[in-house]
Amino acid sequence: MFMMILLGGAVAFFVVAMIMAAGSGKKRQGQGRPGGRAKASSSGSGGQSARREDLRLPYRYADDLVFVHGDSVWTGLVLPTAIDEYLNSAELQAMAEGPARGLLNLARGDRNVECHYRKVYQPITALNWAEDLNAIAWDPTDNYKAYNLRKADYQERIGAKRERNILLVKLGSIKRNGGTGVLADGDEPYDEPGLLHGVRGAADQAAAAATGVTDEYLSPAVLAEWTQVAIEVHESLEGLKGTPLTREELVWLIRKPLHGDLAVPPEPVLGSRAWGPDQFDLVVDFSGENRKTHIVLHQYDEVTGEQQTSYTTTLVAANWPAETRFRQSTAWARYAAQHVDFPVEIDMRFTLIPYLKFKDRAGKIHGNLVDEMNDMANSGRTPDTKLGSQVTRAQELVDDIEEHKMPGMEAQIRFTISAPDVKELERRRRVLEMQFKQDLKVTLLRPTRQQWRLLQSQLPGDAPKLPIAPYLRLQEVEQLGAGLPTAGTELGDNPEQRSGKRLGWVGNLVGWAGKMPVHYSLHVGPARNDGGGLAIVGASGGGKSSLALQKFYEESESGVRCLVIDPKTDFAQLCYYLAFGAQVNDPSFAADAEAGLLGSPQSRFQPINPEFWAETEVVDLLKGQAGVLDPWVIARDVPAGRLLAESMLRGFLGDEDYQRVRLPVIEAMASVIGRYNSAIRQAVEQGLTAREAEQRVPRPTLWQVVDEVVAAYDHAVASGDRDAMKDLKLAQMLLTELRTLPYARLSFAEQPQPLSSMRKRRTVITLRGFQSPAASDPRSWNPAERLAATALMAVVELGSQMLDVGYEKNPVTGEVGLRPKALFVDEAYVVTATESGRDLMRRALKQGRSYMAVTVLITQQAIDLVQIEDSEARSGGANQIHTVFAFKQKSAQEASLVAPLLGRPEDDPKVIAALQELRTGVCLQRDADKRVGTVAVDLVFAEILAATDTNGTTRPARQGVNPPVDVWDWTFLQEAAPETNASAAA
């Protein structure tokens, strides 16, 4: 059997034709008739042409909203996949009822409406994803481009697929009174003769005679009317949140059943060829064998001519439990998609039956059962229990119909599996039958000698007649939704359309949700007008650092300007390894790193990747000059510096001591700022502009504030003012001491100098020796911990200011715009534990969305981030953290604090249990669409695994090998040595 399906190009309509291969026997011809009859051409093409016309699959027209199959007009809807993993019972119920509510709108008329639901799996064309991602990057390195292209190859190697849920609805017939449809009888758009045969001229007649397929033409006026009907149908189904099935998607849906488990090539397949008066594109070209229990599908590689073969078979749901209780784990469509180890495609043909017709049919069924029971009783036989239960269920159905005035449906559900050989196909069939029988109590049967018709039935449009009517079920419309057909595992970046504009993109591969790849890019949230924050939360050892480090590498290589506050030096270590390789294990390496000599002529350690190191700067603040964290140096302006100065002094001294010295401090600040303002006014009076004056007049300093307090104390002593001496003595003593204490000294200098502006791809600010406070409650911190936490808060403020908002010229496009930026804050709970720190984070998050600057918060404590989100919600603002990755939590109490950050109740048992049971490298993600699901982080490359290793036991061995400079030479983890894979899995 040889089949060609051809699609019209010039006028967007197409035909599907089947031409028998020369020399095929009568037996093969009988098995291979693909149905779909249409009238033969009247052009005099003869018996052979008529036979070919009779055998054609009658696709006649398609655009991005409607298609014509024979005399029927259809429209399609692509339904979004909704993750249901952590929905509660009420949310699951609403999800199950969604399809039924949408379909009810189609059954309001007096005619039956034919529908066709398909669940299919589309291989992800990862190469297109990688090229698109590289194209939108601000300033991608060659290694970044290679990184994404290799990840695309990785996804395609493991066969990543995307679940597609399609709902097709028959609008009606281009012939009046065509039977079923969404319009009342006689209301269908019609134009005699409707679909016209358009053979014109001797050449066209000759072509029609040779091919047996005539050119056709659909009246534009009729097409416009059908298009309007389709629009109205889509509006009635808007609750399903689907998108119209495009012509391209329709072509793929036609090709899919005819390829089995083989990859479906993108459109077009074989280009264009002449076919009658217009040009047509070949949609599918295949040959097949119709066997008793399965179909053998042959495809041919266009370049090599090599034959590829797939085996496919379809099973029918023959017997369902008498009563089924809705449960997430046994929803039939969800089960087939998520609990079977191989792809199972679903084909559900169903007819919506209006209320009055449904009531009549249910009444007749009930009457027949009652008559049967009475006949048995009258003949002296006792009705069996099975018949009694059938009568009871039939009566309940009649009562429900009468009470709710609801339409019904007649449906048949089929499951298709494919495999590369017959042995594997049979294994999959047995597994599927067994699992459905054991877990769902559903019997699946494989009809013999009907496989070709069952395969045809998967094609969009009218279905062939099937002699398996006993497997049709009359049921309520809710049955479709009860199967949770749109339940899936899709998470991560999801571009959306708003006002005709595409917002967002699909970012880097970060891991897998079930069988689905999860992609995430820092700036997709702001691009979709969501918040500018990312939270990575989890206990130590759960994998949060590996994910954060992976994102830091990816984003900086893409051109995002990244600044990291790195108390533990994990980010610095990643940079050192990728730049210097195995030299990081040399005992003398750390000394040169602390001295800032790496890569310089004074150091024997030179980079193996000079390009990477040239775009990296590591700054050790504790080794730097005093005054680098002076609040007026950090802040945007003098008023902001005054507020920051007070927050920092409160943090350094603690609430109790600060309250005792607050009045002298406030007075000293007022005096210092007053002198500054006087100097600004004098400069303006001398002819300078306000901006010139601000640039020329030195800002106040915290050193000056302390000097002012000391001077006030000396004056009180000199004047004998005992009351003033009492207040000022403690203040001058505490503040003078701060100048010399670790961390605090960074805020004091007579002439503080700022850090140089950040201009490289990566700037890492480390605090070597930083000790995180042991307790999360600031009231429990000792003086040393307060100093460290306050210094870290100042560093974060410094970082947020270093990410300036100036416009730059894009080095790739030449256009001027805002360069994307990212601020990574490790041990963020130290900052967010105090109210002033949370205020700082709120400001950074709010400003980031406008300035294309994303703040990444990496923390062990979730409660403070929840407080930030809650305060935004209470004030009427949008939540600023657009995505959350939550790793393993050590206790139920900790998990209950994380749950609200995921958008789930704090007492959600599913989430709390899951967070405690997560393995290393596995997390729960809440994406920008508020979907929550489990994600297994995938580092993909052995080199990234080594670079992101923060375990002091395993890191030296992994970083004992130089990483190749070129990403094209990196090694997939799947191909790495067994011990590498074993340790990665652990």
Side-chain angles (χ1 to χ4, degrees):
M1 180 174 65
F2 173 75
M3 178 173 285
M4 293 190 300
I5 299 181
L6 297 135
L7 178 60
V11 293
F13 72 84
F14 62 90
V15 297
V16 181
M18 199 272 304
I19 300 178
M20 304 303 294
S24 59
K26 293 184 178 180
K27 180 179 178 180
R28 179 69 55 84
Q29 292 178 16
Q31 292 176 344
R33 292 174 65 88
R37 295 179 176 272
K39 290 183 178 180
S41 170
S42 60
S43 61
S45 55
Q48 178 70 12
S49 295
R51 184 170 67 83
R52 291 178 178 178
E53 181 77 13
D54 183 59
L55 290 173
R56 66 185 296 190
L57 292 178
Y59 288 94
R60 304 176 185 276
Y61 176 88
D63 57 27
D64 287 342
L65 200 58
V66 299
F67 67 93
V68 179
H69 182 268
D71 295 324
S72 300
V73 185
W74 292 72
T75 189
L77 198 65
V78 181
L79 304 178
T81 300
I83 191 163
D84 66 322
E85 188 175 4
Y86 294 104
L87 299 184
N88 58 38
S89 57
E91 292 167 328
L92 280 172
Q93 188 69 31
M95 183 178 181
E97 293 172 353
R101 285 196 301 268
L103 292 173
L104 289 177
N105 292 327
L106 292 180
R108 300 296 186 190
D110 58 357
R111 298 174 70 188
N112 293 351
V113 179
E114 291 183 44
C115 299
H116 186 190
Y117 164 73
R118 294 276 287 133
K119 180 186 284 290
V120 291
Y121 299 91
Q122 186 172 18
I124 294 174
T125 52
L127 179 60
N128 293 341
W129 155 78
E131 291 175 344
D132 291 345
L133 186 58
N134 288 339
I136 60 98
W138 177 270
D139 183 17
T141 64
D142 289 340
N143 264 350
Y144 178 76
K145 297 175 183 177
Y147 180 85
N148 289 326
L149 290 171
R150 294 210 60 202
K151 278 197 171 185
D153 177 51
Y154 170 75
Q155 293 179 72
E156 293 183 357
R157 282 191 188 191
I158 62 179
K161 292 180 172 62
R162 174 168 286 109
E163 186 177 301
R164 304 284 282 169
N165 293 288
I166 312 293
L167 177 64
L168 303 169
V169 179
K170 182 177 177 180
L171 303 178
S173 173
I174 55 175
K175 293 184 176 180
R176 285 183 179 264
N177 304 319
T180 58
V182 298
L183 300 177
D185 282 330
D187 289 348
E188 293 162 313
Y190 176 72
D191 181 18
E192 181 64 38
L195 195 63
L196 302 178
H197 293 288
V199 179
R200 303 181 295 273
D204 298 335
Q205 291 182 21
T211 62
V213 180
T214 58
D215 184 38
E216 295 168 327
Y217 169 80
L218 186 63
S219 165
V222 173
L223 176 61
E225 293 184 61
W226 280 115
T227 300
Q228 183 58 39
V229 174
I231 291 173
E232 293 171 2
V233 166
H234 282 267
E235 290 175 348
S236 71
L237 296 174
E238 63 181 356
L240 300 181
K241 300 180 181 179
T243 57
L245 182 75
T246 65
R247 175 184 181 276
E248 181 180 356
E249 291 169 326
L250 175 66
V251 168
W252 183 86
L253 199 61
I254 293 170
R255 291 173 174 166
K256 182 63 184 75
L258 305 176
H259 281 75
D261 69 331
L262 300 174
V264 179
E267 182 188 12
V269 182
L270 299 176
S272 299
R273 57 168 294 176
W275 194 268
D278 296 294
Q279 295 295 313
F280 293 83
D281 291 330
L282 189 61
V283 171
V284 67
D285 181 5
F286 84 106
S287 64
E289 302 171 33
N290 186 8
R291 303 286 178 85
K292 180 179 178 180
T293 59
H294 61 273
I295 298 291
V296 184
L297 300 169
H298 301 300
Q299 295 289 341
Y300 300 88
D301 187 281
E302 290 183 50
V303 178
T304 65
E306 179 184 358
Q307 176 179 291
Q308 299 173 315
T309 301
S310 179
Y311 299 80
T312 186
T313 191
T314 299
L315 290 75
V316 177
N319 187 35
W320 295 78
E323 294 183 6
T324 56
R325 176 177 297 179
F326 171 68
R327 293 202 308 270
Q328 182 183 23
S329 60
T330 57
W332 57 269
R334 181 185 189 274
Y335 182 91
Q338 300 186 27
H339 292 275
V340 182
D341 290 337
F342 44 84
V344 178
E345 298 187 352
I346 298 175
D347 180 56
M348 181 178 179
R349 292 271 184 174
F350 61 96
T351 301
L352 297 174
I353 306 171
Y355 156 64
L356 291 177
K357 291 184 178 181
F358 188 37
K359 176 184 176 183
D360 180 62
R361 289 189 61 176
K364 289 180 179 178
I365 292 172
H366 176 259
N368 291 338
L369 291 171
V370 170
D371 288 345
E372 184 177 352
M373 179 177 284
N374 291 337
D375 290 343
M376 293 180 69
N378 292 336
S379 63
R381 292 177 297 162
T382 302
D384 58 24
T385 304
K386 181 178 181 181
L387 179 59
S389 64
Q390 289 176 338
V391 171
T392 300
R393 291 199 305 274
Q395 183 61 56
E396 290 174 350
L397 178 60
V398 171
D399 293 341
D400 283 343
I401 295 172
E402 183 60 34
E403 179 181 356
H404 300 292
K405 304 293 188 294
M406 61 182 185
M409 65 188 295
E410 187 174 52
Q412 186 175 88
I413 304 174
R414 307 156 192 158
F415 302 90
T416 299
I417 51 177
S418 301
D421 56 64
V422 174
K423 183 178 180 180
E424 176 62 16
L425 184 71
E426 288 303 297
R427 185 195 72 82
R428 294 183 180 186
R429 176 190 61 82
R430 290 192 298 270
V431 169
L432 186 64
E433 290 177 349
M434 180 186 67
Q435 287 191 215
F436 264 63
K437 188 66 175 179
Q438 290 181 351
D439 297 341
L440 306 186
K441 306 298 186 275
V442 173
T443 301
L444 300 182
L445 293 179
R446 175 168 61 178
T448 59
R449 304 189 187 280
Q450 298 298 325
Q451 289 298 314
W452 171 240
R453 289 182 178 270
L454 288 169
L455 184 67
Q456 279 183 277
S457 186
Q458 297 175 41
L459 297 171
D462 294 338
K465 299 295 183 182
L466 289 168
I468 48 176
Y471 303 140
L472 287 171
R473 298 186 69 210
L474 186 68
Q475 60 201 21
E476 293 122 325
V477 178
E478 285 79 2
Q479 176 64 25
L480 174 61
L484 296 179
T486 59
T489 58
E490 192 164 321
L491 271 175
D493 291 341
N494 181 31
E496 61 178 333
Q497 297 287 335
R498 292 185 191 172
S499 302
K501 184 179 181 181
R502 188 174 191 262
L503 300 181
W505 56 89
V506 178
N508 304 100
L509 174 72
V510 295
W512 301 85
K515 304 171 186 177
M516 284 289 298
V518 178
H519 298 88
Y520 173 70
S521 174
L522 294 185
H523 291 83
V524 166
R528 293 181 49 184
N529 297 320
D530 290 322
L534 163 67
I536 304 177
V537 185
S540 179
K544 67 179 185 299
S545 294
S546 293
L547 175 61
L549 291 165
Q550 180 187 32
K551 289 309 301 173
F552 166 65
Y553 170 77
E554 293 170 348
E555 300 291 342
S556 62
E557 287 290 279
S558 76
V560 174
R561 183 165 287 151
C562 293
L563 173 64
V564 184
I565 312 302
D566 185 23
K568 298 182 298 183
T569 71
D570 290 339
F571 289 82
Q573 186 67 27
L574 175 141
C575 295
Y576 292 150
Y577 175 65
L578 291 178
F580 292 89
Q583 297 175 86
V584 297
N585 287 334
D586 190 293
S588 302
F589 187 87
D592 278 20
E594 290 185 24
L597 298 177
L598 292 175
S600 70
Q602 293 78 31
S603 175
R604 65 185 179 89
F605 300 107
Q606 297 301 314
I608 63 170
N609 190 338
E611 182 179 345
F612 184 89
W613 184 242
E615 286 288 341
T616 304
E617 184 170 3
V618 179
V619 179
D620 188 348
L621 273 186
L622 296 186
K623 298 290 183 180
Q625 57 191 1
V628 72
L629 296 183
D630 185 286
W632 278 284
V633 169
I634 295 173
R636 291 185 182 279
D637 51 40
V638 171
R642 186 233 178 272
L643 295 175
L644 180 59
E646 187 171 356
S647 294
M648 290 176 64
L649 290 175
R650 183 191 300 274
F652 285 141
L653 298 173
D655 282 337
E656 184 176 348
D657 281 348
Y658 181 72
Q659 289 301 325
R660 295 168 64 184
V661 303
R662 182 173 183 273
L663 183 59
V665 167
I666 295 299
E667 292 175 346
M669 285 187 186
S671 298
V672 171
I673 293 173
R675 289 198 296 270
Y676 169 80
N677 290 335
S678 295
I680 290 291
R681 285 195 297 273
Q682 291 177 6
V684 171
E685 290 172 356
Q686 293 172 2
L688 296 180
T689 65
R691 184 173 183 179
E692 291 171 340
E694 290 176 357
Q695 293 174 342
R696 181 168 300 184
V697 176
R699 285 187 177 186
T701 66
L702 208 52
W703 186 281
Q704 293 173 352
V705 173
V706 177
D707 279 351
E708 192 70 22
V709 172
V710 172
Y713 174 71
D714 292 341
H715 177 74
V717 171
S719 63
D721 187 342
R722 293 182 178 273
D723 291 336
M725 288 171 56
K726 182 179 179 181
D727 293 335
L728 290 168
K729 182 176 181 180
L730 179 63
Q732 66 88 23
M733 182 181 68
L734 292 176
L735 294 176
T736 302
E737 184 184 23
L738 277 182
R739 290 174 169 174
T740 63
L741 293 179
Y743 299 110
R745 73 172 187 84
L746 297 173
S747 302
F748 295 92
E750 292 187 68
Q751 294 181 333
Q753 298 295 320
L755 288 178
S756 59
S757 298
M758 186 184 70
R759 284 292 177 265
K760 295 184 178 181
R761 291 178 182 273
R762 292 166 289 272
T763 300
V764 181
I765 299 178
T766 68
L767 291 88
R768 295 179 187 275
F770 178 87
Q771 295 295 320
S772 301
S776 59
D777 187 349
R779 293 171 297 184
S780 303
W781 292 349
N782 60 39
E785 290 174 332
R786 283 201 310 270
L787 293 173
T790 304
L792 184 59
M793 182 189 73
V795 172
V796 174
E797 177 70 35
L798 169 65
S800 65
Q801 299 308 319
M802 288 178 69
L803 293 171
D804 60 76
V805 299
Y807 286 85
E808 297 183 31
K809 179 181 287 188
N810 187 308
V812 177
T813 66
E815 298 178 357
V816 175
L818 285 172
R819 179 171 186 157
K821 298 168 283 288
L823 172 63
F824 289 75
V825 184
D826 201 0
E827 303 289 357
Y829 76 93
V830 178
V831 177
T832 58
T834 64
E835 184 57 37
S836 58
R838 289 192 289 272
D839 284 340
L840 169 60
M841 285 293 97
R842 292 186 190 103
R843 293 198 306 274
L845 292 171
K846 285 182 177 179
Q847 294 171 353
R849 181 166 59 179
S850 301
Y851 301 145
M852 287 295 288
V854 171
T855 301
V856 181
L857 303 173
I858 309 154
T859 180
Q860 298 183 33
Q861 305 289 339
I863 181 61
D864 303 318
L865 302 184
V866 173
Q867 292 176 356
I868 292 175
E869 292 283 79
D870 287 347
S871 67
E872 288 297 308
R874 286 195 300 270
S875 64
N879 287 347
Q880 299 301 325
I881 298 176
H882 67 261
T883 296
V884 176
F885 292 96
F887 288 82
K888 183 179 177 64
Q889 302 296 309
K890 294 182 178 179
S891 68
Q893 181 181 5
E894 292 177 351
S896 68
L897 297 176
V898 174
L901 201 60
L902 294 168
R904 308 307 301 166
E906 62 182 10
D907 58 350
D908 189 315
K910 281 186 180 180
V911 171
I912 291 174
L915 285 170
Q916 296 177 84
E917 297 168 0
L918 292 172
R919 306 187 314 276
T920 298
V922 180
C923 63
L924 266 59
Q925 180 189 4
R926 187 205 81 196
D927 66 11
D929 291 306
K930 307 301 183 286
R931 300 174 296 185
V932 179
T934 303
V935 175
V937 175
D938 191 348
L939 300 178
V940 179
F941 296 105
E943 289 75 12
I944 292 296
L945 174 65
T948 61
D949 192 344
T950 60
N951 186 304
T953 302
T954 58
R955 182 166 63 191
R958 284 185 176 151
Q959 296 188 355
V961 178
N962 286 338
V965 173
D966 194 333
V967 169
W968 287 108
D969 298 324
W970 283 10
T971 303
F972 289 134
L973 281 171
Q974 289 184 329
E975 301 170 350
E979 58 271 17
T980 302
N981 283 325
S983 57

